[in-house]
Amino acid sequence: MQNNRREFIRNTFGTAAGIVLANQAATALNTSSAESMNAEPRIKFAVIGMNHGHIYGQVEAVIRGGGQLVAFYAKEADLLAAFAKRYPNVKQASSEAEILNDKSIHLVLSSAIANERAPLGIRVMKSGKDFMSDKPGITTLEQLAEVRKVQKETKRIYSILFSERLENKATVKAGELVKAGAIGRVIQTIGMGPHRISLSSRPAWFFNKEQFGGILCDIASHQFDQFLFFTGSTKAEIVTSQVGNVNHPQYPNFEDFGDVMMRGDKGTGYIRVDWFSPDGLKTWGDGRLTILGTEGYIEIRKNIDIAGKEGANHLFLVNQKETVHIDCNDVELPYGRLLVDDVVNRTETAMSQEHCFLATELAIKAQKYAKQLSI
């Protein structure tokens, strides 16, 4: 039987299915490792600011990685009440300062109003703690310059949770496959980030460009992160970008459409983001990523495969030998574990600091220099 198993591996290793099997084995080992590390909390962390519901995904990622949530604070009573209901055994701090002055806390998470995240992150780093922000983690070039300066001085971690890559199982699997050479050298990424607007549920700051940062700074930060990651680019520039408010005149400071073309030192990319997911869709957005390589391509259908396979986390791999669909629902999400590793070991395994800042810089510049689209 052992000989038959070896023969099977030899026969399939060079195929897409073989690469998938190898990666599934590695994932199983990683998951087992993560479960053993989660036995006892490795760090203590807190939350300051929870204006976007993404904070719950941020918290769960760190808990999975071995963190213990010990305190939270926000200025808004309704947000505090909702968070306390979700985490009833966690201490509600009386102020931001109470958390920043607590030397037992290693990491602070935030999904505060977008343009308030960088100033908070600076205060967190100056207090001797690491910081993890919802995206966008920074909304202006001036904020970025100050964050870079303080991060360099304090040597603290400033991480932004680009969840469309780091918390999406199909995108994580795509990273494994690209690293294994499944499609050769990556040439281009095409990232689509449609969203449902759900007007009645949005707070006032959501429609204020100064506060949310603009559609390319906000939503497209995900796609810039993916472009850099999958092409391996460490230098990049915006070729052209445009933004517009084409269908929501009642919110003059809002943007509902944007797209970008960029060029990196190791590949090119195109991004389209919008707030036009129709109500007939079974999810908030038909997010897709296409990765073109010299020997094939990968298409990720993150949240839904319309009129196709059920559920989410779909990956389609096409190479010189075959076309396969990969169900990625059992893939481990390693970001939280790796971030906790980095907090403990002072490393950069979850995301390099320069990658975080470059993805942010590209998003801000695409926004700042975008042409105004009028349809």
Side-chain angles (χ1 to χ4, degrees), residues 244-286:
N245 183 350
V246 301
N247 200 47
H248 296 88
Q250 69 273 40
Y251 302 108
N253 293 319
F254 184 61
E255 294 170 344
D256 55 22
F257 180 90
D259 65 351
V260 188
M261 184 182 296
M262 58 274 189
R263 180 189 301 118
D265 57 341
K266 294 183 180 178
T268 67
Y270 173 76
I271 294 169
R272 191 206 79 207
V273 290
D274 65 76
W275 287 101
F276 290 111
S277 289
D279 289 342
L281 191 69
K282 294 180 180 179
T283 183
W284 56 265
D286 185 8

Side-chain angles (χ1 to χ4, degrees), residues 189-220:
T189 62
I190 299 176
M192 305 292 190
H195 284 60
R196 179 174 290 138
I197 195 163
S198 303
L199 290 173
S200 62
S201 68
R202 301 293 181 177
W205 67 267
F206 174 83
F207 301 100
N208 185 334
K209 185 175 176 179
E210 181 181 353
Q211 290 181 293
F212 75 83
I215 193 169
L216 297 181
C217 177
D218 178 18
I219 299 178

Side-chain angles (χ1 to χ4, degrees), residues 142-375:
E142 293 75 18
Q143 285 186 350
L144 177 60
E146 185 63 18
V147 168
R148 275 181 158 144
K149 176 176 176 289
V150 173
Q151 190 280 323
K152 185 176 181 180
E153 291 171 349
T154 62
K155 308 298 183 187
R156 308 314 303 178
I157 296 168
Y158 194 105
S159 187
I160 299 172
L161 179 49
F162 298 113
S163 57
E164 287 192 24
R165 173 171 68 91
L166 299 167
E167 288 290 290
N168 180 270
K169 295 182 177 184
T171 316
V172 169
K173 173 60 72 175
E176 296 173 1
L177 293 170
V178 167
K179 185 177 180 180
I183 58 171
R185 178 170 53 86
V186 173
I187 301 168
Q188 185 204 38
T189 62
I190 299 176
M192 305 292 190
H195 284 60
R196 179 174 290 138
I197 195 163
S198 303
L199 290 173
S200 62
S201 68
R202 301 293 181 177
W205 67 267
F206 174 83
F207 301 100
N208 185 334
K209 185 175 176 179
E210 181 181 353
Q211 290 181 293
F212 75 83
I215 193 169
L216 297 181
C217 177
D218 178 18
I219 299 178
S221 60
H222 287 299
Q223 282 69 35
F224 282 111
D225 161 69
Q226 291 167 77
F227 159 70
L228 293 176
F229 177 79
F230 285 107
T231 65
S233 293
T234 56
K235 297 178 182 178
E237 62 180 346
I238 304 301
V239 177
T240 187
S241 60
Q242 58 184 356
V243 295
N245 183 350
V246 301
N247 200 47
H248 296 88
Q250 69 273 40
Y251 302 108
N253 293 319
F254 184 61
E255 294 170 344
D256 55 22
F257 180 90
D259 65 351
V260 188
M261 184 182 296
M262 58 274 189
R263 180 189 301 118
D265 57 341
K266 294 183 180 178
T268 67
Y270 173 76
I271 294 169
R272 191 206 79 207
V273 290
D274 65 76
W275 287 101
F276 290 111
S277 289
D279 289 342
L281 191 69
K282 294 180 180 179
T283 183
W284 56 265
D286 185 8
R288 299 196 185 194
L289 172 66
T290 300
I291 309 165
L292 175 65
T294 55
E295 301 297 327
Y297 66 91
I298 290 171
E299 182 181 343
I300 300 163
R301 300 179 188 178
K302 296 172 184 269
N303 308 313
I304 190 171
D305 178 22
I306 57 172
K309 301 178 184 300
E310 290 296 321
N313 297 306
H314 299 283
L315 187 152
F316 298 89
L317 171 62
V318 184
N319 61 18
Q320 304 292 3
K321 296 182 179 180
E322 59 190 327
T323 299
V324 295
H325 166 260
I326 304 171
D327 181 338
C328 300
N329 283 296
D330 292 332
V331 172
E332 182 213 358
L333 296 172
Y335 169 75
R337 170 173 56 83
L338 295 175
L339 181 62
V340 173
D341 285 347
D342 293 340
V343 171
V344 172
N345 301 321
R346 311 318 300 165
T347 50
E348 293 187 356
T349 61
M351 176 193 303
S352 77
Q353 195 62 76
E354 191 47 46
H355 171 99
C356 178
F357 289 154
L358 181 56
T360 298
E361 179 181 335
L362 290 171
I364 294 172
K365 286 183 174 179
Q367 181 71 52
K368 183 178 177 66
Y369 301 115
K371 298 175 183 176
Q372 289 298 311
L373 175 65
S374 179
I375 298 177

